[in-house]
Amino acid sequence: MANPLNDRPGRERQRLRKLAQAAMNADQTVDQVEGILGDMGPVLEGLSTTVASLDGSIDSLDVTLERLNTSLDNVDSTVNRMAGVVTRLERIVTQVEGLVAIAETALRPISAVESAAHGVAGLLGFGGKTSRPPRPALPVRDQSTPGVGA
């Protein structure tokens, strides 16, 4: 059987080796983390600049959306007013159509009397194309001598 007292210095050495190895590994890990953090500094600064630009863009977008909302409100108001104008124009057109119908109805008897008068005048020989005297012929100018008429 092995003597536990003789075994003890070997275990302590192994333990010390493991602790030393762990310390070296931790030191390497810390160096790696410091390297990563050092590389991330410029990235984080660039990200900060980008976020600031994004904030400015969002502010501009807010202003643009407010203007768009105002424009849409103006369009809605204009559409409502135009609907009122169209309604009034439709009423005016309806009234004009009514007046035209009344005028056509009122003029029918006059048109009938006029047509009858033309018929009677035609029977009596008045108002036809043959009842007009022919127009006299215009004198023809001689084109060869300027200023001298025929």
Side-chain angles (χ1 to χ4, degrees):
M1 200 171 243
N3 185 353
L5 292 175
N6 288 340
D7 232 8
R8 194 163 194 203
R11 280 190 198 164
E12 285 181 11
R13 272 190 221 157
Q14 213 172 21
R15 185 172 178 231
L16 283 175
R17 277 188 202 148
K18 286 182 182 178
L19 286 174
Q21 186 64 41
M24 286 175 50
N25 289 342
D27 191 42
Q28 284 180 349
T29 303
V30 167
D31 288 343
Q32 289 174 350
V33 168
E34 285 178 348
I36 290 171
L37 290 177
D39 291 343
M40 286 186 65
V43 171
L44 291 175
E45 288 175 8
L47 183 62
S48 176
T49 303
T50 303
V51 168
S53 295
L54 181 62
D55 285 344
S57 297
I58 288 173
D59 290 342
S60 295
L61 181 62
D62 286 344
V63 170
T64 302
L65 289 175
E66 287 176 18
R67 288 165 123 184
L68 179 62
N69 192 30
T70 301
S71 296
L72 289 175
D73 289 343
N74 288 340
V75 167
D76 286 344
S77 172
T78 302
V79 166
N80 289 336
R81 285 184 287 176
M82 290 301 293
V85 168
V86 168
T87 302
R88 289 192 298 271
L89 283 174
E90 286 174 344
R91 274 188 269 150
I92 290 170
V93 167
T94 302
Q95 290 173 353
V96 167
E97 287 174 344
L99 290 173
V100 167
I102 290 170
E104 287 176 346
T105 304
L107 291 177
R108 277 190 194 137
I110 295 172
S111 177
V113 168
E114 181 183 10
S115 178
H118 280 290
V120 169
L123 287 175
L124 296 175
F126 299 112
K129 287 185 178 179
T130 56
S131 64
R132 267 194 238 161
R135 286 187 171 171
L138 295 174
V140 179
R141 275 193 191 173
D142 182 15
Q143 298 294 331
S144 60
T145 310
V148 178

